[in-house]
Amino acid sequence: LGDVSADPGAPREDALFVDNVLTKLAPIDFTFDRGSALQPWRFRNDRVDLTLTPRYDNSRELDLLVAQTNLRQAIGTISGTAITHSGEQITLVDIPAWAEEHLARW
């Protein structure tokens, strides 16, 4: 799942892969608390409603004047529902996962 692409015209990576069948997804809406990566992260669109429950905050910031990086990364488990290409609703429970937002300048 991806929220944005560096190139707005580039193909998106949003997809489900279930039982050897790929389901392309519409763009996903990511919502999370930028002040605390340990708060739940939500991922939603017309086919997915997922929540990442973080267990570990791997965030970091680095400012070297000419280069900067600001990474918000949560590692934990994801749960929720998704609808496959055939219309089948699947339930995910505590699947290991991570999510991140990375802003960089160089």
Side-chain angles (χ1 to χ4, degrees), residues 2-105:
D3 187 26
V4 298
S5 172
D7 178 1
R12 297 184 56 94
E13 58 197 21
D14 303 318
L16 291 174
F17 193 70
V18 179
D19 295 331
N20 294 320
V21 177
L22 181 70
T23 301
K24 185 73 174 130
L25 299 173
I28 305 293
D29 179 40
F30 280 42
T31 56
F32 66 99
D33 181 347
R34 284 179 172 78
S36 174
L38 289 174
Q39 296 300 313
W41 294 50
R42 294 291 306 268
F43 313 99
R44 291 188 235 167
N45 76 359
D46 60 333
R47 288 186 176 262
V48 299
D49 187 356
L50 303 170
T51 300
L52 174 76
T53 302
R55 307 263 191 264
Y56 178 71
D57 178 355
N58 193 37
S59 300
R60 57 192 73 170
E61 294 180 34
L62 181 63
D63 186 351
L64 301 173
L65 298 177
V66 296
Q68 295 176 326
T69 185
N70 184 338
L71 173 68
R72 293 288 168 258
Q73 186 180 65
I75 301 168
T77 57
I78 201 162
S79 297
T81 59
I83 300 172
T84 67
H85 181 71
S86 65
E88 175 188 5
Q89 180 172 305
I90 59 172
T91 300
L92 293 86
V93 179
D94 294 334
I95 305 296
W98 83 93
E100 65 185 37
E101 175 185 64
H102 185 209
L103 305 173
R105 180 176 62 94

